[in-house]
Amino acid sequence: MSTTKCKLCPKFEKTFGILGKKWNGLIIDVLLTEGSQRFKDLALKVDKCSDRVLVERLRELQDDGLISRQIAADGRPTYQLTQQGEDLRPIMSEIHSWAEKWFSLADCR
């Protein structure tokens, strides 16, 4: 009996490697809904993520081309989505719709 090994598309694997990494989806969602954010504001909104991990995730998302880091007029950095990150808007909207359909607040405790 022969078995055929299923091979996923490397682009699909790369995408899920980014979106499936803990905190990345939440960071992207905050930037989609709230727009450009300073680190301290992101840290408040993704409150269960430690500062160290948040810095790491932001750098990774920058390296992957989904967010950019800009220095504001007051010298503080801000983070915003690139066009590549913005293109996740319909996908994230569908995830929200799916979650609303299939989970209650009690499921999230």
Side-chain angles (χ1 to χ4, degrees):
M1 188 188 300
S2 85
T3 59
T4 305
K5 191 171 185 178
C6 181
K7 177 101 170 98
L8 292 176
C9 169
K11 292 178 183 182
F12 184 84
E13 287 185 73
K14 170 78 173 165
T15 301
F16 265 85
I18 295 168
L19 295 179
K21 196 164 202 177
K22 192 168 185 177
W23 308 116
N24 283 359
L26 296 175
I27 294 166
I28 292 166
D29 196 55
V30 167
L31 294 172
L32 281 169
T33 56
E34 307 274 333
S36 179
Q37 298 285 301
R38 293 195 169 151
F39 181 86
K40 70 176 185 130
D41 298 321
L42 266 173
L44 289 172
K45 291 171 183 154
V46 187
D47 64 333
K48 293 181 180 161
C49 181
S50 72
D51 286 354
R52 182 187 62 78
V53 172
L54 183 56
V55 166
E56 185 178 298
R57 294 298 180 269
L58 289 169
R59 285 187 183 140
E60 291 168 354
L61 289 168
Q62 281 180 265
D63 291 344
D64 287 324
L66 280 91
I67 66 170
S68 65
R69 181 179 182 266
Q70 304 294 321
I71 303 299
D74 63 5
R76 295 188 212 164
T78 60
Y79 298 89
Q80 58 272 325
L81 293 169
T82 62
Q83 185 59 54
Q84 184 179 348
E86 279 288 336
D87 282 352
L88 290 169
R89 187 174 297 280
I91 295 162
M92 296 300 279
S93 177
E94 286 297 317
I95 291 171
H96 277 282
S97 295
W98 182 86
E100 284 295 321
K101 179 178 179 178
W102 292 103
F103 295 111
S104 70
L105 287 178
D107 294 326
C108 302
R109 294 178 191 186

